[in-house]
Structures are given as structure tokens and as C-alpha cells.
Amino acid sequence: MAANEEFTLEILLETALVTRSQLEQARGEAHAGESVIAVLIRTGELTQEDITRALAAHSAMDFVDLAQMTLSPEVLEQMPSDVARRFKVVPIAFTDSALMIAVSDPLNFDIFDALQHRLAPRDLEFVCATPDSILSAIRKFYGTAEDAVDELTGQINGEILIGDVETVDTDGDTGDAPIIKMVTSMLFEAYNMRASDIHLEPLEKRFRVRFRIDGVLHEMNNPPKKLQSAIISRLKIMTGSMSIAEKRLPQDGRIQAKMGKKQVDLRVSTVPTTHGESIVMRILDKSSLALGLPQLGFLSDDQEIFEQLLKLPDGILLVTGPTGSGKTTTLYGCLHYINKPDKKLITVEDPVEYQMGGINQVQVNTDIGMTFPAALRSILRQAPNIIMIGEIRDAETANIAINASLTGHLVFSTLHTNDAPSAVARLVDIGVQPFLVSSAVRAIVAQRLVRKLCPKCKKPHELSESEISALGLDRSQLGEATVMKGAGCENCKHLGYKGRMGIFEIFLIDDEVRHMVNNKASTVELRKRAREMGMRSLREDGIRKVLAGLTSAEEVISVSAADAD
């Protein structure tokens, strides 16, 4: 249905297809998660054709009945099957310079932009058809998603076609070759699309595959449910450490795969669910280790502050934020910045995700007593200059870290708090004395991740009144800002975004703040003092990056919703 349901309902009212009383009744009858339009169709008040014809008339488009049309192979060749399936559109006619495409939602302008970029340089013309007729035409002329998987794995003709994908040794097991090639293709596709995670989720009637790209999950073409067990077993075998016989308990493992000329590590986790084992694979790309501070998202003024913090001889620098906010990447960026031959760096991590040259990295292993505190006590006898602790989780770890900082070490670590001032209260809550916190902590950096606009297809964009209001701005503050929006192109896989960056708030601990911490000042009081010192909130830093054309307003609004400032 239409991207904007309320607008569609207004069109239906204007054309007298429904009355307001019918709409109110439909709203009352809607099940959880069910749209009003779906209720109107379910109760027989409207049909898909009624709605599509009304939208077509409103948009000055022709309506076509695909069920009465036969599309020639020459027409179908004008659009790749993956484009038809992805955008749920069908080509119906063409000339040398133009292509006519049937769409179901003439109000979804993002699809028009994406198709224009994907099928350039041809001119595109659009007509309307019902959603069901378009899906039927895709199945009829392009085949089902299962057909696409069969084609990929070579099951149709008994052939194995994998392109230039390189994989691990298959140990000569040719009987399972189609599954091997399918799994390898999936890993290669995820890497090629810059996915950070691959989610394989067994549902009741299907086996869902989703890639997390720039923090957002996208559903891909799903393999047939009948191949679920074979795919999971293949991935377990690739780890070399997981049991294919054990399906009742969670398991963890690693896969090393060669993607072109790059060696990529995947961290694999399985969990038993009602309909089979769910697998999540984290793709670990070492290229993120070499990120400089600008690539992490620091603008020039914050970068200067952060570089001064990294030059401190001792003390604790904390990076805070929820899970998935990029804290570990920021810490690795810090280590990369200060990793010099005249410094000895040691890390204590659980797990060691990336191996960095020139740094001593210690893996926590609680099964044999190698806990964070035990590891920290040992590495202090190794005379390091700089220590990185993956996460401060308890009072014992916190106190050892603080003592290390007070004896001449520079310590980096993370905490799970929503903002920078809250980290002080968090340390006190887990049992650290306030005077130790005030003595050791030099600065606290809170962060979130936002998607960066694609540099290839971003274009000027005027903020709506609702976006300006949500950001707490008024039009006079926009000035000569270069607000942008991603249109979608091949470079960003038609998402409009490519990569992520941080938004930050940096809380510097000065003498007055130390005095306040010693006197057990509240988080509200500490935040007030931080603001007086010039600390920008997460949202304010995000607004700067929106006005600089680096990210979008909706991204900043979504990740800084709890920012009360």
C-alpha cells in the first residue's frame, strides 16, 4: 500500500470511496499491527483495485490490468529480476530511450528515485497496477524467490556457478556442493553489501535471512525452508569447532573466509529456538581498526579536544553508550592513534575481536579463572604505559583500573550508560568511592552511531516543519546550512546511506566537577555543570552534522530521542 497511509485515506475520502464513519469503524476493528486500509479490504468496503485506481487518478497515472497482459521476453529483459523482486515492479513496454514500469504505490517517490538511478540513463514512465497483480506477474515471468536460490546454487541444471567467490576448502565433499556454494555466496554477498551481521532465523514456515547494514536490518531472498538444516550444518562445519549433532545448547565459533584478496573473520553464535537453531554471524573487518578520528565522526573542534586527552600521561578515559553504539571501534581508533614504538599497550578484552600489530592483547577466559580482575593484576606487572579494558562491569575491575590510573597508567574503558555525566553515578553505584572517581577519571565521552549520507547520491534537501521542530530549531537558525538527503544509487545499494559515524558529547572533568563528585552531586547537577563548561549534547552534535550535510535529520532524531537538553 501507499507509503503514507493517512494521505491515502484522505484521497479515498475525497473520491467518496469511503466515509469518515467507515474509517472510524475500521480503526476500531483493526487488529494489533493491522492498517486501516487492510481492514477496509478485509471487510469488503474496498478492493485493492479501488484503492490503486484512486491513487492512479490522483497521481495522473494510467491504471493497467496485468492479469490481461502478456509480457514478451524482450520487455522482461529490460529489467533485472532482482530489481523487479526488490522494488515489486514490472516492466510492461519499452522504446530505445524509455521504459514503462508498473508500480502499485504512486506515492512512494523513493522507489521512483531508486529505479531512476538503477536503470539510468533511460527515461522511465510509470503506470499503476494492484499489488497482487504485480506480485503474480513477478512470480509468473521472473519466478519465485526459491527459483532464484535454485538458480544461484545450480540445483536447476545440476551445475555449480559461483563467480569469483573464493571459499574455504570443502574437503572434497561434492555431494553437498550446492549447499556449500549457497552458503559461500551468502557470505560473499553480505561482505559485498558491507553488512556487519548476518541473521539466519528459523520461523514456522520459512527460513529468514537478514543482513544488518549500517545498523539497520534488511531482509534478503530467503532460502527454501527445506534447506534450513543443511545450511546450519554447513556453517557449523566451517567453524571447525561447533558440533552439528548438538542442537539443544547454544554454541560459539569462528569462521575465516577469503573474500577476494581479503581475509575476513566471522564470529558465529547459535541459539536453539522453537523452529530450529538461530544463527548470527558478526563480520569482523579489520579495516575499521585504522580509522582516524575524523572517520570516527569527530569534527575539528572535538577532534582537537580528543587528541589532547589521548596525550595525557595517566588517568581514565571512559567511552559510554548502549550496546551497538560503536564504543569498541572508538577505543580501537584511540589505540591506533597512540600506538607508537615508544609506548607499551596492553588490552584485556572479552572477546578479542581484532588483532592489532604492536599491541599485547589478553583474552578473558572465565572458565579457567582468567577474569577481568585477574588479567588486570597480571598485566600491571608487565609495566605497560597504556591499558585498554574492554568493559568495566564490576567494582573489582573498576577499582583495579582506577588504581592503575593513579599509579601512572593511561586507562581506556567503556561503560553502559545513556549519557556522559551518568557514568559517574554508574561507577559509584557499582561500589567505587566518589573520591576515587574524581581523582582518576579525566574525561567521559558518550556516543551514538548515525548513518552517513551516500556521497555519490546525496542532494540538497529542505527540512520539514516537523523535522525542524523535533530538532529544536527554527528556520532562522538554518542560515546557509547544506542539509542533504540520500536519493539512493548503486554505490549505496539504493539505501541513500553508506557507512556510519559517531555523534558525541565530551564531558571534561575539571576541579569544580571533582569537588562536586566528592560531595556526591546528582547526575542532573553534573550535567548542568558540564553544559556550563560548553559540553554539547548528543543531539546538538548531531544537528551540527545534519547542517553540514553529513547525515539526515531522521537519523539524529531517532538515536538521540532521550536527549532532554
Side-chain angles (χ1 to χ4, degrees), residues 427-464:
L427 289 172
V428 173
D429 287 344
I430 64 176
V432 181
Q433 294 295 325
F435 74 90
L436 290 175
V437 175
S438 65
S439 301
V441 178
R442 297 288 183 263
I444 304 165
V445 179
Q447 72 175 73
R448 299 289 189 277
L449 289 178
V450 294
R451 290 182 291 174
K452 293 191 291 186
L453 293 172
C454 174
K456 299 284 188 182
C457 65
K458 66 180 182 180
K459 56 186 181 181
H461 169 68
E462 185 173 348
L463 292 177
S464 67

Side-chain angles (χ1 to χ4, degrees), residues 193-197 199 211-218 323-325 449-452 495 497-501 555 558-559:
M193 294 182 71
R194 301 177 296 100
S196 60
D197 304 277
H199 295 251
F211 295 168
R212 190 183 297 278
I213 303 171
D214 294 334
V216 179
L217 283 170
H218 299 270
T323 301
S325 59
L449 289 178
V450 294
R451 290 182 291 174
K452 293 191 291 186
L495 299 175
Y497 299 94
K498 187 171 185 181
R500 289 192 288 177
M501 67 189 306
E555 280 291 295
S558 66
V559 303

Side-chain angles (χ1 to χ4, degrees), residues 257-436:
K258 193 174 183 183
M259 306 292 183
K261 296 182 179 180
K262 275 195 173 184
Q263 194 75 24
V264 177
D265 290 341
L266 297 97
R267 198 171 69 214
V268 185
S269 170
T270 70
V271 173
T273 68
T274 306
H275 302 293
E277 290 178 282
S278 173
I279 288 189
V280 175
M281 291 177 283
R282 177 83 183 275
I283 301 175
L284 305 175
D285 185 359
K286 294 184 179 180
S287 62
S288 63
L289 300 183
L291 291 178
L293 298 182
Q295 288 73 43
L296 290 173
F298 288 101
L299 297 181
S300 57
D301 50 354
D302 284 345
Q303 179 180 335
E304 184 177 351
I305 294 172
F306 208 71
E307 287 176 350
Q308 293 301 316
L309 292 174
L310 297 181
K311 294 175 183 177
L312 292 172
D314 54 31
I316 294 180
L317 174 60
L318 290 173
V319 181
T320 76
T323 301
S325 59
K327 301 187 297 295
T328 302
T329 301
T330 297
L331 287 185
Y332 275 123
C334 294
L335 294 181
H336 178 74
Y337 180 84
I338 59 180
N339 185 13
K340 302 291 188 297
D342 62 335
K343 303 287 185 183
K344 179 161 184 175
L345 283 69
I346 301 182
T347 74
V348 182
E349 305 171 66
D350 183 21
V352 174
E353 292 192 358
Y354 303 98
Q355 295 182 3
M356 298 184 69
I359 296 178
N360 301 277
Q361 295 174 271
V362 178
Q363 169 74 57
V364 168
N365 187 343
T366 55
D367 292 339
I368 60 173
M370 189 65 159
T371 61
F372 271 108
L376 281 170
R377 291 191 192 95
S378 298
I379 68 172
L380 286 174
R381 293 193 285 271
Q382 297 284 311
N385 301 105
I386 298 161
I387 300 169
M388 192 269 270
I389 306 169
E391 181 185 348
I392 293 178
R393 303 178 179 176
D394 52 50
E396 190 175 10
T397 303
N399 280 310
I400 294 173
I402 286 173
N403 287 331
S405 72
L406 294 175
T407 54
H409 303 86
L410 182 59
V411 180
F412 299 95
S413 191
T414 70
L415 273 179
H416 283 85
T417 62
N418 288 328
D419 63 0
S422 298
V424 173
R426 173 65 178 153
L427 289 172
V428 173
D429 287 344
I430 64 176
V432 181
Q433 294 295 325
F435 74 90
L436 290 175

